[in-house]
Amino acid sequence: MERAPPVILFLLLIVPFGIAQNTTSEADEFHVGVILNLGSLVGKVARTSVSLALQDFYAVHPNYSTKLVLHIRDSMASDILAASAAIELLEEYKVQAIIGPQKSSEAVFISKLGNITQVPTVSFTATSPSLTSGNMPYFVRATTNDSAQVNSIASVIQAYGWRQVVLVYDDTDYGRDIVPYLIDALQDVDIRVPYRSVIPLSATSENIMPELYKLMTMQTRVFIVHMSSTMTSLLFTKAQEVGMMNKGFVWIITNGVANILESLNPSVIEAMNGVIGVRHHVPKSQELDNFSIKWSRMYQQDNPDESPFNKLSIVGLWGYDAAWALAQAAEKTGISSVRNKPWSSKNSTCFESMAISTNGPELLAAIVQNKFTGFSGDFDLTDRQQLKVSVFQIINVVGRGYREIGFWTLKNGLSRKLNIEGLKITGSASMLDLNPVIWPGESTEIPRGWEVPTSGKRLRVGVRTSAYPEFIKTFKDPATNATKVSGLSVDIFEEVVKRLPFALTYDYIEFDTTDTATTGSYNDFVYQVYLQKIDIAVADITVRYNRTLYVDFTVPYTESGVGMIVPVKEDMIKSMWIFLKPLSTGMWFGSIIFFIYTGVAVWLLEYLNGNEYVHGPFSLRQLGITMFFSIFEEKEKLERFLSRIVILVWMFVLLVLTSSYTASFASMLTVQQLSPTVTDVHELRKKGEYVGFRRGSYIEGLLVDIGFERSKIRPYDTHDEFYGALSNGSKNGGIAALVLEVPYIKLFLNKYNKGYTMVGPIYKSAGFAFALPKQSPLRAEISRAILNITGGDSIIQIENKWINQNSNQNEDKLDGSGAITFESFGGLFLLTGIVTTCSLSVAMLMNYYKKCKQNARTKGDDQNDCGHGQQGENGDSQGNQDDENGNCSDIENRTTLPVPLSSNTNGDQLPDNRCTQTNKAASLTHTGSQIIHRGDKSGMSLSGSS
């Protein structure tokens, strides 16, 4: 918006008033009507703001050709007087626009007059959502719609976790029109409105006090107040008197009062301490501060007898900007020429003198299309001829003022801080992201939002007898005729009540039904909560989806799931092959394969090393030796180091395997083992077996969904009937299995603990819980108490009281799953396999290397033998010498026949010059027998190697 430069404003102050008057007298007068309740706080603020706006506007634009002339009328809070004033302004002054009216109810009729006369009606205080530009095209709302704030209120309530609220509002268009929008916003975040308190406009202290006492008897402690400032002041003053501004109460005010909070009486503000509210956010600036000072001076001039605590509010800023926008539009369109409307002479009334504005449409368009930045923020009426929602400020009333606790925007929701430049919110929509609040009673603890009123009615606890009296049983006291109950469910409920953080009084109400065993009776029982005949249903109620559609459940207090009771078979110990059970089939085959593989590997290692125990043709003796090597380690029989490594690793594997076998076999022989006759419910269906269930239970529908034919499903009522049917079996008119919920299975096995066991759960369910009305505030507290009970020793004591947990239930099952498998020893078998294979590979490589080396040396010896033969044929002297020395050739032939070039027992190879050494020994006989003895020893060595 254009602002007057400081120099111009200064000149305007020193220029004589007469000159200014002569200048402006040349401008055309643009008549505008103003209809306000001048006796109200809002009316007084609005009149000052509109007058100041025109004064500032024409001070900045002294040469404009038009000038707005205001005709102010007091409606005195009366719709009739407001309509009469509008008619007067249209007839006598031919006004071309109307500022106001102040109330939404007044705006309805005046806007219709504007539609007829094409006179725009600009209101900055009528906020009813029912006033729309669709049915009132000449109505312009220079403020926001009341429905714009409902999402911010719902976000605040959701952030603090409150589940129910009570609406308190005026019985006026202003109060009623917001209710549908507010309830929709609350329901979107799952918040209920159990009660609406409608206060008549004419209500006095005597009328309000009974309503406040009624609110005190309710559980809900969160109240949303949408009333006029006058009624709000009276309400909180009386609420403080009756004690409803103490700790535990929550009061939320809408922007109608929050916007003008500073202008309320200080005593009213003190009574409202702890209240939180939603108001429009106005960015602070030095320009706004200077304007506030200027506005306050003019307000005191207009209202010299007014109390000094009235201050400028957002309503005054809207009035200032609206008057500025209208002045700009008037200058743009100019003065309108009017013509009389041709009314019917037959029904002649005072409306005959009303004129139709010829430039009304142009003026309306100029107002709506005018955009600028005013003191209230961005002034933009292009959105359905009303201001757009920008930012809401969340406040907390403290002392004689308020403190800021956060902001809300349509795009980002709640946050603690607001970045004004980018309008970006930091943080998430959580109460942790809001500043701390001082609640009523000067409490910093967040109120729970509900209480159990001491003066209210007692809690109606619905109960019903179960087919299993261990869970719940009802009976009448013959002396008092009061309903008495007992059972596990009742004990848990009474323990829950003891652990609640508040006192809870209640009465047991028995659910009357002629046949509690009929199908759907539990559904009917739970439905009593929805019908509000009882406040909570206590029994062995299973949490089912169809029931959650109309009630809420607490957390379960029992185990969940559906299982089967089936007979057990006991034939394991009587089997002659029980010794095979500790190891699985795969384990047996794997052990045998590795047993043979290890024995063959050791035999081959010793054979390659020349062990005398394994030489000769393969026979049964050789096979026995092989098996012997796989079990026992005999050092004197194993001559190779690699063989001993293989046997050592294999013995470690055998040690672990035999220990595990012994432990498993001992367990089988010492503990009685039982196995169920059937483990899968689908197996029963495929075989066409009969199954049983408790009559009236939802289990019947579950079995049908699984695929059982109804002819194969048999209902029973008592444990004795269950036992008889299971004993007879499916082929003798009984059943092969009984399908029940896990808590009921415990009861049955407690009584019949021999010959039967539980299989499953075959189906997951939520367990047993208590049913409460939708959005009941008790649900969270009771659920927390149940979790406290089930997480400690209390639940064990209660179950031991009604269900004996120490009974011998047939929980041991043996269906082969306990046998030792090959996979569990895979690491050991892998170790021995790697060691054996590697040892065998190394031995074979060494043997191959020796053979290659041996072949090379044998080829060299053959060449030497050929050389000795040629020398003997060339001379006799050589032959004679050979005869004297013992014929070297004969010695050589004798020594090399058994094992040519083989190693001796010490692993040493014979020398290649054997003949040379013998000749030397013969030629040196004169040296004594010592040399001859060495030659003989050499001959002995050769003989020993053969």
Side-chain angles (χ1 to χ4, degrees):
M1 183 175 67
E2 301 179 28
R3 299 296 184 203
V7 177
I8 295 178
L9 292 177
F10 177 75
L11 292 175
L12 289 174
L13 293 176
I14 63 176
V15 172
F17 179 76
I19 298 176
Q21 185 177 12
N22 294 332
T23 303
T24 58
S25 62
E26 298 177 359
D28 295 332
E29 293 184 348
F30 191 98
H31 295 278
V32 176
V34 180
I35 303 176
L36 297 169
N37 179 12
L38 299 180
S40 67
L41 176 62
V42 173
K44 295 176 182 179
V45 171
R47 181 180 62 178
T48 299
S49 296
V50 171
S51 300
L52 182 59
L54 297 183
Q55 178 180 322
D56 291 346
F57 182 83
Y58 292 111
V60 176
H61 307 98
N63 297 322
Y64 271 19
S65 61
T66 59
K67 179 182 179 181
L68 267 62
V69 178
L70 301 180
H71 303 276
I72 301 176
R73 296 292 182 269
D74 186 3
S75 67
M76 302 178 64
S78 171
D79 295 353
I80 297 176
L81 292 180
S84 176
I87 296 173
E88 176 194 358
L89 293 172
L90 290 171
E91 288 181 344
E92 295 185 7
Y93 297 97
K94 312 299 181 182
V95 294
Q96 301 183 50
I98 295 177
I99 296 179
Q102 185 171 325
K103 292 171 27 179
S104 298
S105 58
E106 299 169 353
V108 175
F109 179 77
I110 296 176
S111 297
K112 291 180 179 179
L113 290 178
N115 295 341
I116 297 173
T117 59
Q118 297 182 0
V119 174
T121 302
V122 182
S123 176
F124 50 89
T125 56
T127 58
S128 173
S130 62
L131 299 174
T132 62
S133 59
N135 54 5
M136 299 178 182
Y138 279 85
F139 175 76
V140 178
R141 195 198 316 265
T143 181
T144 58
N145 191 325
D146 268 343
S147 62
Q149 62 182 318
V150 296
N151 289 325
S152 62
I153 296 173
S155 297
V156 171
I157 297 173
Q158 182 187 26
Y160 287 102
W162 300 316
R163 310 301 299 173
Q164 291 186 354
V165 297
V166 171
L167 302 184
V168 183
Y169 56 91
D170 283 334
D171 189 14
T172 61
D173 292 342
Y174 167 76
R176 290 187 300 266
D177 290 347
I178 194 179
V179 172
Y181 299 91
L182 185 56
I183 291 179
D184 289 343
L186 294 173
Q187 289 180 347
D188 288 341
V189 292
D190 204 19
I191 299 173
R192 293 180 62 246
V193 181
Y195 181 75
R196 306 179 194 177
S197 177
V198 183
I199 307 298
L201 187 61
S202 59
T204 60
S205 301
E206 290 73 16
N207 304 126
I208 291 179
M209 294 294 282
E211 185 65 20
L212 291 176
Y213 284 123
K214 182 178 180 180
L215 295 178
M216 291 183 66
T217 62
M218 299 179 181
Q219 287 186 344
T220 306
R221 289 293 184 265
V222 182
F223 307 98
I224 300 176
V225 179
H226 182 66
M227 307 172 73
S228 64
S229 58
T230 303
M231 295 302 298
T232 299
S233 301
L234 180 60
L235 176 71
F236 280 104
T237 301
K238 296 304 175 183
Q240 185 182 38
E241 292 180 7
V242 300
M244 293 185 70
M245 298 303 296
N246 296 330
K247 181 179 179 180
F249 288 88
V250 178
W251 295 89
I252 303 174
I253 56 175
T254 59
N255 62 5
V257 173
N259 286 335
I260 59 172
L261 182 67
E262 304 94 325
S263 300
L264 297 179
N265 192 296
S267 61
V268 174
I269 298 178
E270 290 179 358
M272 295 174 62
N273 271 205
V275 173
I276 57 178
V278 176
R279 60 184 284 164
H280 287 81
H281 173 63
V282 179
K284 295 181 180 180
S285 63
Q286 185 62 40
E287 186 179 15
L288 180 60
D289 293 339
N290 295 335
F291 175 76
S292 298
I293 297 174
K294 181 179 179 181
W295 182 91
S296 298
R297 293 174 181 173
M298 186 171 182
Y299 183 84
Q300 290 297 323
Q301 295 176 3
D302 295 340
N303 305 278
D305 299 331
E306 191 70 27
S307 301
F309 51 77
N310 289 342
K311 298 180 180 180
L312 177 64
S313 63
I314 184 67
V315 176
L317 299 180
W318 282 330
Y320 185 93
D321 291 343
W324 189 283
L326 182 58
Q328 287 182 331
E331 179 65 21
K332 182 177 181 181
T333 59
I335 304 299
S336 170
S337 59
V338 298
R339 61 182 177 85
N340 292 334
K341 183 177 179 63
W343 297 95
S344 174
S345 59
K346 183 176 181 180
N347 297 317
S348 179
T349 63
C350 62
F351 293 109
E352 293 180 352
S353 58
M354 288 186 183
I356 299 176
S357 175
T358 57
N359 68 342
E362 291 79 6
L363 179 62
L364 176 64
I367 296 173
V368 173
Q369 295 174 4
N370 193 2
K371 299 180 182 180
F372 57 88
T373 301
F375 282 120
S376 62
D378 292 335
F379 191 88
D380 184 2
L381 302 176
T382 57
D383 183 15
R384 295 174 298 179
Q385 298 181 188
Q386 62 183 5
L387 286 182
K388 295 181 179 180
V389 179
S390 54
V391 181
F392 284 106
Q393 184 182 27
I394 315 301
I395 63 171
N396 177 210
V397 181
V398 178
R400 292 192 175 186
Y402 68 90
R403 53 196 297 267
E404 180 183 283
I405 64 173
F407 297 92
W408 182 92
T409 63
L410 183 62
K411 181 179 180 180
N412 301 298
L414 288 175
S415 73
R416 180 179 301 180
K417 297 181 179 180
L418 175 67
N419 184 347
I420 298 179
E421 294 181 358
L423 292 180
K424 294 181 179 179
I425 301 285
T426 58
S428 59
S430 170
M431 65 180 179
L432 300 178
D433 294 315
L434 298 176
N435 292 316
V437 176
I438 299 178
W439 303 98
E442 298 183 355
S443 172
T444 58
E445 180 182 355
I446 298 176
R448 186 167 46 198
W450 67 278
E451 295 289 344
V452 177
T454 56
S455 58
K457 61 181 181 181
R458 298 165 64 90
L459 193 71
R460 299 169 298 175
V461 180
V463 292
R464 58 155 293 165
T465 299
S466 171
Y468 302 90
E470 292 86 353
F471 280 96
I472 184 168
K473 180 181 179 181
T474 64
F475 55 92
K476 291 289 186 180
D477 188 340
T480 62
N481 199 32
T483 301
K484 300 294 183 180
V485 288
S486 63
L488 182 143
S489 300
V490 176
D491 285 0
I492 292 178
F493 172 74
E494 293 179 349
E495 184 67 23
V496 164
V497 173
K498 294 178 183 178
R499 303 196 181 199
L500 292 177
F502 49 85
L504 182 66
T505 58
Y506 57 90
D507 294 319
Y508 287 119
I509 299 177
E510 185 177 8
F511 174 56
D512 295 327
T513 178
T514 57
D515 184 10
T516 58
T518 58
T519 302
S521 59
Y522 269 84
N523 290 336
D524 296 338
F525 175 52
V526 173
Y527 199 67
Q528 304 303 307
V529 178
Y530 176 77
L531 298 177
Q532 299 183 0
K533 294 183 178 180
I534 56 177
D535 299 318
I536 182 173
V538 174
D540 49 345
I541 306 170
T542 303
V543 179
R544 299 285 294 164
Y545 169 75
N546 63 316
R547 296 170 182 171
T548 60
L549 298 177
Y550 46 88
V551 296
D552 281 343
F553 286 96
T554 63
V555 296
Y557 59 85
T558 62
E559 296 181 52
S560 62
V562 176
M564 292 192 304
I565 300 176
V566 297
V568 295
K569 53 185 178 182
E570 185 182 351
D571 55 353
M572 187 60 65
I573 298 181
K574 298 177 182 178
S575 173
M576 63 181 294
W577 302 104
I578 189 174
F579 69 91
L580 298 176
K581 295 297 181 180
L583 302 182
S584 64
T585 303
M587 189 65 175
W588 280 114
F589 279 107
S591 301
I592 293 173
I593 291 173
F594 272 89
F595 177 79
I596 297 173
Y597 175 66
T598 304
V600 171
V602 174
W603 178 85
L604 188 57
L605 288 172
E606 292 300 313
Y607 181 83
L608 294 175
N609 194 53
N611 193 325
E612 63 179 357
Y613 287 98
V614 299
H615 275 281
F618 191 81
S619 61
L620 293 177
R621 179 177 177 273
Q622 298 282 355
L623 179 63
I625 291 174
T626 300
M627 299 300 102
F628 184 78
F629 284 156
S630 298
I631 302 176
F632 302 101
E633 178 188 2
E634 296 291 341
K635 293 183 179 180
E636 62 275 8
K637 292 182 175 55
L638 297 179
E639 298 180 353
R640 192 155 195 160
F641 179 71
L642 292 176
S643 301
R644 297 191 180 193
I645 292 179
V646 172
I647 288 298
L648 182 63
V649 175
W650 176 245
M651 292 300 294
F652 174 73
V653 175
L654 285 181
L655 177 63
V656 177
L657 183 60
T658 53
S659 301
S660 302
Y661 176 87
T662 303
S664 180
F665 193 40
S667 176
M668 290 183 181
L669 296 178
T670 55
V671 180
Q672 182 183 13
Q673 299 293 332
L674 302 173
S675 61
T677 55
V678 63
T679 59
D680 189 2
V681 67
H682 297 284
E683 181 181 348
L684 294 173
R685 178 180 56 82
K686 293 178 181 178
K687 293 182 178 180
E689 301 284 356
Y690 289 91
V691 294
F693 70 98
R694 181 176 61 85
R695 191 189 307 274
S697 172
Y698 72 92
I699 302 297
E700 179 181 9
L702 175 62
L703 293 173
V704 173
D705 293 339
I706 292 176
F708 281 92
E709 298 179 2
R710 292 190 179 272
S711 59
K712 297 294 182 179
I713 305 173
R714 293 175 174 173
Y716 300 96
D717 295 319
T718 64
H719 285 175
D720 294 335
E721 292 181 4
F722 296 158
Y723 177 74
L726 287 171
S727 301
N728 294 333
S730 182
K731 297 181 180 180
N732 299 320
I735 55 177
L738 178 65
V739 181
L740 293 174
E741 291 163 284
V742 172
Y744 298 148
I745 292 177
K746 284 186 175 183
L747 286 175
F748 181 86
L749 294 179
N750 179 43
K751 186 175 182 180
Y752 304 100
N753 56 3
K754 292 183 179 180
Y756 300 98
T757 189
M758 184 183 79
V759 175
I762 63 173
Y763 177 78
K764 292 294 184 181
S765 65
F768 296 162
F770 304 138
L772 292 140
K774 280 285 187 180
Q775 304 298 328
S776 173
L778 280 173
R779 185 174 68 91
E781 297 293 343
I782 292 179
S783 295
R784 278 192 284 267
I786 291 176
L787 292 175
N788 190 9
I789 294 172
T790 55
D793 296 334
S794 299
I795 188 65
I796 298 177
Q797 297 175 2
I798 296 174
E799 287 185 348
N800 286 338
K801 177 181 177 181
W802 298 101
I803 305 173
N804 186 9
Q805 296 295 315
N806 297 323
S807 61
N808 297 323
Q809 298 183 11
N810 303 321
E811 297 177 351
D812 295 328
K813 304 176 184 179
L814 183 61
D815 53 4
S817 60
I820 300 175
T821 61
F822 181 79
E823 289 77 9
S824 59
F825 281 77
L828 289 176
F829 284 114
L830 181 63
L831 175 64
T832 183
I834 292 175
V835 172
T836 302
T837 303
C838 291
S839 299
L840 192 60
S841 301
V842 171
M844 294 180 70
L845 290 174
M846 292 177 62
N847 185 67
Y848 176 75
Y849 173 75
K850 290 178 181 180
K851 283 185 178 181
C852 292
K853 191 173 182 181
Q854 176 182 349
N855 291 337
R857 290 176 180 176
T858 302
K859 184 176 181 181
D861 291 341
D862 291 342
Q863 294 176 356
N864 293 334
D865 290 343
C866 292
H868 288 301
Q870 293 175 358
Q871 184 178 1
E873 293 175 356
N874 294 329
D876 294 335
S877 60
Q878 181 67 30
N880 294 334
Q881 187 177 0
D882 291 341
D883 292 338
E884 292 176 358
N885 295 328
N887 200 339
C888 180
S889 299
D890 293 339
I891 294 174
E892 183 178 355
N893 292 333
R894 183 174 66 249
T895 58
T896 58
L897 280 176
V899 184
L901 298 176
S902 65
S903 301
N904 59 14
T905 58
N906 295 323
D908 300 329
Q909 293 182 351
L910 292 175
D912 295 336
N913 55 352
R914 291 185 300 274
C915 184
T916 304
Q917 291 179 358
T918 305
N919 293 335
K920 290 179 181 181
S923 63
L924 298 175
T925 54
H926 66 276
T927 60
S929 59
Q930 190 172 12
I931 300 299
I932 297 172
H933 177 70
R934 186 173 59 187
D936 294 339
K937 186 174 181 180
S938 178
M940 291 176 62
S941 299
L942 289 171
S943 177
S945 301
S946 60

